[in-house]
Amino acid sequence: MKAYLGRRYRFSASHRLHVDGFSDERNREVFGKCNNPFGHGHNYWLEVVLSGTVDPTTGMLCNLVEIDEFAHQRLIAKFDHQNLNTLPEFDALVPSTENLAIVIWEILKGFTAAKVEKIRIEETPNNSFEYSGE
């Protein structure tokens, strides 16, 4: 039987949505207030949905300590209280939350104790993004 487990993590980060090849007017037109030259920040909620079979001995899909350690070491430590624009993962990407989801997905591919089914990132109460790979 396939089971699903969701884990939520919180981190704070800032970013500026901006394309160097666009004029200032075009950047304002596309990104609005998110193009502020000083950037702006969010308190993000990341939900990771894992799948697998429940271990009959532990009654768990995976060891929660393992997924929490992975998330804190590889994701939270990397992104929390950072300016996303300054991270190498965004050298060639606009640090939109959509692109952040893809970057996080690629990191989560390294977690092998269960299958990562999808992720969801809530940027604001009105903006959330889901990604489940290609």
Side-chain angles (χ1 to χ4, degrees):
M1 171 175 64
K2 188 174 188 179
Y4 297 89
L5 167 68
R7 296 294 280 175
R8 288 177 57 105
Y9 305 97
R10 184 171 181 252
F11 64 95
S12 299
S14 66
H15 63 171
R16 178 187 186 202
L17 303 184
H18 180 85
V19 173
D20 288 336
F22 287 178
S23 67
D24 288 343
E25 181 181 322
R26 180 71 176 141
N27 271 302
R28 281 190 301 274
E29 184 180 292
V30 172
F31 301 115
K33 66 182 180 179
C34 296
N35 182 246
N36 183 324
F38 301 106
H40 65 282
H42 296 285
N43 294 314
Y44 293 96
W45 280 101
L46 167 65
E47 183 175 355
V48 178
V49 177
L50 306 167
S51 70
T53 51
V54 174
D55 181 296
T57 305
T58 65
M60 297 179 357
L61 188 135
C62 74
N63 184 327
L64 299 180
V65 172
E66 285 181 37
I67 183 62
D68 289 347
E69 285 180 353
F70 185 96
H72 286 284
Q73 290 171 2
R74 306 261 188 101
L75 299 171
I76 306 308
K78 175 180 257 332
F79 298 115
D80 195 29
H81 295 97
Q82 296 297 314
N83 177 343
L84 300 178
N85 296 80
T86 66
L87 299 178
E89 291 83 358
F90 295 100
D91 282 347
L93 294 173
V94 173
S96 64
T97 305
E98 293 92 323
N99 281 333
L100 177 61
I102 294 168
V103 167
I104 288 174
W105 177 268
E106 291 300 313
I107 294 169
L108 281 167
K109 286 171 36 175
F111 184 73
T112 58
K115 182 178 189 280
V116 180
E117 288 284 339
K118 73 175 182 175
I119 63 169
R120 179 177 180 275
I121 300 177
E122 184 176 300
E123 179 184 70
T124 70
N126 292 327
N127 291 331
S128 65
F129 306 91
E130 291 189 7
Y131 189 70
S132 59
E134 294 186 31

